[in-house]
Structures are given as structure tokens and as C-alpha cells.
Amino acid sequence: MLDLEAKLSSFRKMVWGEEKERSEKDLYSSTEINSKLIADKKDQLDKALKESLRNRRSFAEIRKNERLSKKEFDGKNDLYIYRQDLLDDLIARIKEKLIRFTDSQSYKNSLEDKINDSLKTIGLSKEDTIIGLVGKDLDLVNFPHKEKLDDKYIGGYLISDKNREFRYNFTFDNKLKERKYEVGKKLNQLLESEPSYESKN
């Protein structure tokens, strides 16, 4: 009986030992696999985090550049509008001066001579042309064919042939229109060369 119990005890120890050894191996293997899985997962998360940070930085940089571009565009647009307003104001002031000039004796005295000079330059005679003038200038000149221009004109004159096949525009409005680009260019040059004064306050 003792022998049987000793054998059972020995058998239990052997089975228990093998089971314990297998368990330890499984546990070690499982721990190693889990450690590798955890390490892989950690690497994936680290990569994903770095990618996310790169994307966020890139997005933030793009947004910053967009805001800067918009500010720069708005600034240039505001400057363009300001310069355009200045040019329109300057043209309006020149127009006012031209209107005042058409009331001057100097303008009235020289109008017929200027028309004659233009006819000579073009190579036309008084008899073959119609001279267009604003209402208040019609009595200032002596030409066989005259006509009243629309009220939109300031002063100066139009020369047309009797058949209305061509027309030469010597009105102040036309001259001002032709010179508007030059006036704007000169204005821009003046604005760009203007020194900036800092406030002493």
C-alpha cells in the first residue's frame, strides 16, 4: 500500500512537474508574444501620432500662409482702391479747372486760331468741314458750318467732314481721357517716391 502511494505520489510529481514546465513555457511564450504585440502596437501608435502631428503642422502652415496671402491681397486691394479714388478725385479736379478755363478770356480769344491750326495740320478747308462746339462757344468762332455738341462736353471742338465720314476729336474731354493713363502713372510715381514721415509724438 505504501509502495502504491509512493508511486502515485511520484507520478503526481512527475505529471505536476511536466504540467508546470509546460505552463511556464506557455506563459513565457504568451508573455513574449504579448510583449511583441504591445511593442508593435506602440510602434504603430507612435507612427500614427507622428503622421498626425506632421499633418497638423502642415495644415496649420497652409492655413497661416492662406491668412497671410489674404491679408496681403486685401492690403493690395485696399491700396489699389485708395489710389483709384485719388486718381478719380484728381481727374475731377482737372475737369473743374478745364471748365473754369473755358470761361477765361484766354480760351475765348484763342479758340478760333486753334481750330484753324488743326484744319491746317489735317489738310482741310473751312468750307469742307463742320465744327462741333459746346453751346456757349458757338458765337466765339466764325466758320460756315457749325453745330452744337451735347452738354456732356466741356470745351474744345470736333472737326467732321460734311459727309460725316470721319471726325477728329479735339475736345477737352477726349484729351483728358487720352491723358488719364499718364496722369495715373505720374500719380503712382509720386506716391511711391513720397518719403514716409514717422510721427514724433
Side-chain angles (χ1 to χ4, degrees):
M1 184 88 162
L2 253 167
D3 211 18
L4 184 60
E5 264 197 43
K7 283 182 181 180
L8 277 172
S9 176
S10 177
F11 177 71
R12 276 191 205 124
K13 283 181 186 174
M14 186 179 76
V15 169
W16 175 253
E18 286 175 7
E19 202 53 46
K20 186 178 174 190
E21 193 178 323
R22 191 169 45 241
S23 273
E24 284 176 354
K25 277 184 185 175
D26 287 347
L27 182 62
Y28 177 76
S29 175
S30 169
T31 304
E32 197 174 288
I33 289 168
N34 286 340
S35 293
K36 188 172 182 330
L37 285 172
I38 289 168
D40 289 348
K41 193 65 178 170
K42 186 177 178 297
D43 285 347
Q44 282 179 345
L45 289 172
D46 283 348
K47 282 178 187 173
L49 179 62
K50 284 176 185 173
E51 184 67 24
S52 174
L53 287 173
R54 265 197 305 272
N55 289 341
R56 284 183 182 188
R57 279 193 200 107
S58 176
F59 180 73
E61 191 66 27
I62 289 167
R63 293 297 298 212
K64 183 181 87 174
N65 290 339
E66 283 174 355
R67 282 195 297 274
L68 286 173
S69 294
K70 187 178 183 316
K71 278 184 181 176
E72 191 176 327
F73 173 79
D74 290 346
K76 283 181 180 177
N77 195 42
D78 290 347
L79 182 61
Y80 171 77
I81 290 167
Y82 173 70
R83 286 184 177 189
Q84 191 60 45
D85 287 346
L86 281 178
L87 177 60
D88 292 343
D89 185 57
L90 183 57
I91 294 293
R93 287 171 187 258
I94 292 170
K95 202 168 183 176
E96 285 171 15
K97 286 191 175 191
L98 287 171
I99 291 167
R100 285 198 299 275
F101 175 66
T102 61
D103 291 329
S104 72
Q105 203 57 48
S106 171
Y107 169 78
K108 292 173 183 177
N109 293 342
S110 64
L111 184 58
E112 188 164 346
D113 290 339
K114 287 193 182 297
I115 296 170
N116 283 322
D117 289 345
S118 296
L119 287 172
K120 200 180 291 181
T121 303
I122 297 166
L124 296 171
S125 68
K126 291 181 182 183
E127 291 73 25
D128 296 330
T129 56
I130 301 166
I131 308 300
L133 299 151
V134 293
K136 65 181 184 177
D137 292 348
L138 283 170
D139 295 334
L140 298 177
V141 297
N142 186 22
F143 288 95
H145 310 289
K146 297 185 283 186
E147 69 180 358
K148 183 177 180 285
L149 294 177
D150 292 343
D151 292 337
K152 67 177 183 178
Y153 291 100
I154 300 170
Y157 49 93
L158 290 173
I159 299 174
S160 311
D161 69 306
K162 284 175 37 176
N163 299 323
R164 309 280 183 178
E165 290 175 357
F166 60 83
R167 183 173 82 168
Y168 294 93
N169 192 335
F170 295 97
T171 62
F172 289 161
D173 304 80
N174 191 57
K175 287 179 182 178
L176 190 56
K177 186 179 170 186
E178 287 175 350
R179 299 273 196 268
K180 186 173 181 178
Y181 172 76
E182 290 173 35
V183 171
K185 188 176 173 184
K186 188 70 178 169
L187 177 65
N188 280 333
Q189 287 171 348
L190 286 170
L191 289 172
E192 286 167 13
S193 67
E194 188 70 26
S196 59
Y197 298 103
E198 290 183 12
S199 174
K200 292 181 180 179
N201 293 337

